[in-house]
Amino acid sequence: MESKKRISYVVLLLLTILIIAFITWAYSPLRPAEEVKEYLQSSNYVEVIREKNIYFIPRNFKKNYFENVGIIFYPGGHVDYTAYAPLAYRLAEKGITTVILNVPLSFAIFDVDSARTIINDTRFSDKEWFLAGHSLGGVAASEFLVKHPELVGIKVKGIIFLASYPARDISYLPIKSLCIYGSEDGILSPKTIKEKKALFPSSTEYVEILGGNHSQFGSYGLQKGDKEAKISAHEQISIVVKAIKEFLEKYTSQR
């Protein structure tokens, strides 16, 4: 009996240590680069609103072709969500309203339904949304589509994967899709993207960024396991913004 008590105590102690270790790790996500601060300030052409989530809203445009289109962005796993502010800000500079989701413990997969809050927000009742996500965030975005097929093609018009792929087969969904990845990605290789093509919507367009890596889709430094990029972070984000803009232009021209 004494031996069983001792074993139970040891097991409980180990579980407690593991839980504490996980919580400590989860509350210490990859931090944003110093430059991110300047992208969290409003300007003449972009209004930045910080609530639970962060909203990047275009303003003072004489003619905005993306007035009725927006992006809901799921951040990568264990990355501070503000690290994607430079990307979101630069999309807004092109006229594209972009919302970065603040997800539990910096893991979007813990709350795939978080996009629902934005979709139901009456401030954006005129918007048609494209979900987007980096790495694990792309997985979460695709899971939202699986959970809410009734919104596909109605309020959610497309999905954008950044160094990511769907965990489940969504090839049957009638939705626009874009996948952007880097040739130097050490975490999710181009080979893996190609191997997973059968899971993507059949409409998916693919853009490979020559010299781009995994980490530079955000602004948080070099992630462990990633390769060094052969282009600058600014250049990589410029290519991403251009690819997304061209992708959305095709959609708006077909409406």
Side-chain angles (χ1 to χ4, degrees):
M1 182 65 72
E2 191 66 31
S3 176
K4 286 184 179 180
K5 284 184 178 179
R6 189 177 295 111
I7 291 171
S8 297
Y9 172 77
V10 171
V11 170
L12 182 61
L13 180 62
L14 288 173
L15 284 174
T16 302
I17 292 171
L18 286 172
I19 290 170
I20 292 172
F22 173 76
I23 291 173
T24 302
W25 177 76
Y27 275 100
S28 305
L30 294 169
R31 307 303 301 174
E34 187 66 25
E35 68 192 50
V36 165
K37 291 179 182 177
E38 65 184 270
Y39 292 97
L40 293 171
Q41 306 297 321
S42 296
S43 67
N44 287 338
Y45 294 102
V46 179
E47 181 181 10
V48 180
I49 302 173
R50 297 194 68 172
E51 297 175 354
K52 177 190 176 185
N53 306 302
I54 311 179
Y55 302 79
F56 298 80
I57 303 173
R59 61 182 179 184
N60 297 328
F61 276 70
K62 289 182 179 179
K63 176 66 176 177
N64 185 1
Y65 294 100
F66 303 113
E67 186 174 357
N68 300 118
V69 176
I71 291 175
I72 301 172
F73 191 89
Y74 287 81
H78 199 53
V79 178
D80 188 298
Y81 72 119
T82 63
Y84 297 95
L87 172 60
Y89 188 97
R90 292 176 66 182
L91 285 168
E93 284 185 316
K94 300 297 182 184
I96 305 164
T97 294
T98 305
V99 184
I100 306 175
L101 298 172
N102 182 6
V103 293
L105 299 177
S106 298
F107 279 95
I109 206 69
F110 288 158
D111 187 12
V112 300
D113 277 341
S114 53
R116 198 76 187 252
T117 303
I118 313 302
I119 293 169
N120 293 337
D121 193 326
T122 55
R123 291 176 294 179
F124 306 108
S125 58
D126 62 332
K127 297 289 186 193
E128 294 176 335
W129 294 103
F130 283 73
L131 303 184
H134 175 225
S135 196
L136 192 59
V139 175
S142 66
E143 285 299 301
F144 180 90
L145 299 180
V146 173
K147 286 186 68 176
H148 301 286
E150 74 282 0
L151 295 176
V152 174
I154 307 299
K155 291 298 290 183
V156 180
K157 298 294 185 176
I159 184 167
I160 300 166
F161 295 92
L162 303 183
S164 182
Y165 62 87
R168 290 193 271 181
D169 182 3
I170 59 170
S171 61
Y172 61 93
L173 290 176
I175 196 167
K176 303 292 183 183
S177 176
L178 173 67
C179 176
I180 309 174
Y181 58 96
S183 66
E184 306 307 308
D185 194 321
I187 294 172
L188 183 64
S189 69
K191 180 182 177 183
T192 301
I193 293 287
K194 291 168 185 174
E195 289 173 348
K196 300 295 183 180
K197 276 191 174 183
L199 300 176
F200 286 88
S202 58
S203 67
T204 303
E205 299 175 27
Y206 297 89
V207 175
E208 181 176 8
I209 301 176
L210 297 178
N213 67 1
H214 194 87
S215 308
Q216 289 186 166
F217 284 98
S219 299
Y220 55 87
L222 186 66
Q223 193 169 339
K224 185 177 180 181
D226 199 7
K227 297 178 183 176
E228 290 282 354
K230 295 181 179 178
I231 59 175
S232 69
H234 183 84
E235 185 178 355
Q236 182 162 337
I237 289 179
S238 294
I239 294 170
V240 174
V241 170
K242 181 175 183 290
I244 292 175
K245 179 176 177 287
E246 290 176 352
F247 173 68
L248 294 181
E249 281 174 343
K250 292 177 188 175
Y251 165 72
T252 55
S253 67
Q254 292 169 0
R255 283 192 301 178

